[in-house]
């Protein structure tokens, strides 16, 4: 295995080493690189933001089972399904409003906006004193 850097440097990798990269796009990748590395790229528009919300809910339920946090989060975890229902409706309405009524200085994608919202929401419910 050989790692070829943009500056032309080549680094030999041992057979026990595996690397995984996440890229925003494949603008600089040649077809040979894509096929040799087995890259898969999914446009954010095709994936949607719903899987991120579902993953957040699953991770929150696991976090609520942690013995160190169980007493603080278990009550919220009991109501995660209704919270998810309202959160998804909020996301639909918020994204619609952002896309139709707001002007962004820096363009964004829905997935990033939803992830940022979930990060804030998570911080507020896991650290209510903040």
């Amino acid at each position: 295995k050989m790692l070829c850097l943009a500056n032309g440097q080549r680094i030999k990798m041992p057979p026990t080493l595996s690397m995984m990269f996440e890229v925003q796009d494949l603008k600089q990748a040649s077809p040979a690189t894509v096929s040799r590395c087995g890259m898969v790229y999914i446009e954010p528009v095709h994936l949607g933001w719903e899987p991120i919300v579902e993953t957040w809910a699953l991770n929150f339920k696991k976090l609520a089972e942690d013995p160190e946090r169980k007493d603080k989060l278990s009550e919220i975890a009991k109501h995660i399904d209704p919270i998810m229902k309202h959160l998804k409706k909020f996301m639909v309405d918020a994204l619609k409003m952002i896309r139709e009524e707001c002007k962004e200085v820096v363009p964004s994608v829905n997935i990033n906006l939803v992830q940022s919202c979930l990060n804030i929401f998570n911080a507020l419910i896991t650290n209510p004193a903040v």
Side-chain angles (χ1 to χ4, degrees), residues 6 12 27 36 84 106-107 113-114 117:
K12 185 163 175 57
K27 289 180 185 174
R36 188 171 40 240
M84 288 295 298
V106 178
L113 294 173
V114 170
C117 183

Side-chain angles (χ1 to χ4, degrees), residues 74-97:
S74 61
E75 193 60 36
I76 298 170
K78 290 178 188 175
H79 305 287
I80 199 72
D81 292 330
I83 290 171
M84 288 295 298
K85 178 183 167 192
H86 293 293
L87 195 59
K88 285 181 180 180
K89 182 176 179 348
F90 168 76
M91 292 294 180
V92 169
D93 295 342
L95 291 170
K96 182 179 179 192
M97 190 267 312

